[in-house]
Amino acid sequence: MTILVTGGAGFIGSNFVLDWLAQSDETVINLDKLTYAGNLENLASLQADGRHIFVRGDVGDRVLVDGLLAEHRPRAVLHFAAESHVDRSIHGPEDFIQTNIVATFRLLEAARTYWSALPVTEQVDFRFLHVSTDEVYGALSPDDPPFAETNRYEPNSPYSASKAASDHLVRAWHHTYGMPVLTTNCSNNYGPYHFPEKLIPLMIVNALAGKPLPVYGNGLQVRDWLYVKDHCSAIRRVLEAGALGETYNIGGWNEKPNIEIVQRVCELLDEMRPKADGSSYKMQITHVVDRPGHDRRYAIDARKIERELGWKPAETFDTGIRKTVQWYLDNPAWVEHVQTGAYHDWVAKQYEVA
Ligand code: NAD
Ligand code: TYD
């Protein structure tokens, strides 16, 4: 058996591929364009592993995707590939529209064509799992209940609007064509291999480099944090047992204001890598101008996936953030390659890329 993973060289996708192959012998076809966010160094441990077949390419390339589906006959497509950073979407939304909407539409069409032609027994088992975000629901006020699957879509950033559009396409392909789709909407992830443009890895690498820790505005915006491996286990569970056409919110009930996250990272670094002069990394915290349209609060009501699929996260925020800080301390070469762009050279050396 085989699965097709898109975006498997990114943060969550690479964690998913590593976890999948640690638990299953099912081959993974990993289709990734290797944008700035794609890093095959994350998958270095799989270099000699025949169960991982990496293909560099765009999910919107119909000829390529049709060929991969015909050749490898996967039982499922797991769609992680996306442009994922809100700040980049504010400065340059075009790529978000192209990948998150147009390429997702093309991938859906390729999957539909493939699925329609499968023998009935394989058709019944086929799944298209779309990985999405809680940001499609918009922003919560401090007193609002967390996002449930029944909340209205009210995306506020170009990123969340593009993901909302892709969720709607996936939904429509189920209702119109009967495609066996599943959608997951997860809260903010953190953990190993996280590109240091997002809050937690940026704070860790900047702190260690003696640079300012830029907190947008007053830092009182709230995000709901989930350790990436718990997101991966939830996706595996939804793939295994999710009801067709349903959406599942994924989160670990870990709401925290940004400033508290940054302070916690500093405290852990003070303990695990104390500065020579004895001062705290907190001295590097710098409040900077706020993000335009900054969503006040995200929070996930995860009761549906807990109740219907019996999923629970394995990590608390305390255990997950400690593991994350430790991972960055243990992997200075990965950090350096990402910061200097050398990971692209590494890829070119290790893999034949088109
Ligand atoms: P990421 O930016 O780290 O990785 C995205 C990957 O997709 C990269 O490897 C990139 O090369 C690849 N890619 C981009 N455009 C492509 C294209 N056109 N064709 C093929 N590959 C392409 O993102 P991530 O944080 O790992 O997020 C993965 C998915 O999870 C996204 O769909 C995102 O919306 C969703 N999500 C992320 C979070 C989070 O906190 N990071 C939370 C909820 C949902
Ligand atoms: P981010 O990691 O970009 O995820 P998202 O915007 O998708 O939630 O940001 C998480 C929160 O941290 C968000 O409220 C913006 C804030 N933030 C900062 O305060 N400083 C930073 O340098 C970054 C990248 C984010």
Side-chain angles (χ1 to χ4, degrees), residues 191-203:
Y193 307 114
H194 205 180
F195 194 84
E197 63 180 354
K198 307 275 170 66
L199 180 71
I200 289 180
L202 183 74
M203 296 301 145

Side-chain angles (χ1 to χ4, degrees), residues 197-265:
E197 63 180 354
K198 307 275 170 66
L199 180 71
I200 289 180
L202 183 74
M203 296 301 145
I204 299 171
V205 305
N206 273 15
L208 291 171
K211 293 183 181 165
L213 308 180
V215 173
Y216 298 163
N218 58 16
L220 295 179
Q221 297 79 13
V222 171
R223 296 292 181 264
D224 191 349
W225 295 94
L226 185 69
Y227 192 63
V228 63
K229 297 202 177 281
D230 284 325
H231 186 189
C232 295
S233 75
I235 290 171
R236 287 199 304 277
R237 186 69 194 131
V238 171
L239 179 67
E240 194 174 66
L244 296 186
E246 288 293 311
T247 69
Y248 295 90
N249 283 356
I250 304 173
W253 308 95
N254 274 315
E255 281 185 63
K256 304 224 179 280
N258 294 336
I259 188 69
E260 214 178 281
I261 296 286
V262 179
Q263 286 169 345
R264 185 71 194 125
V265 166

Side-chain angles (χ1 to χ4, degrees), residues 29-42:
I29 312 300
N30 181 354
L31 172 61
D32 195 297
K33 189 175 169 180
L34 297 180
T35 67
Y36 79 95
N39 184 355
L40 278 179
E41 207 170 332
N42 302 0

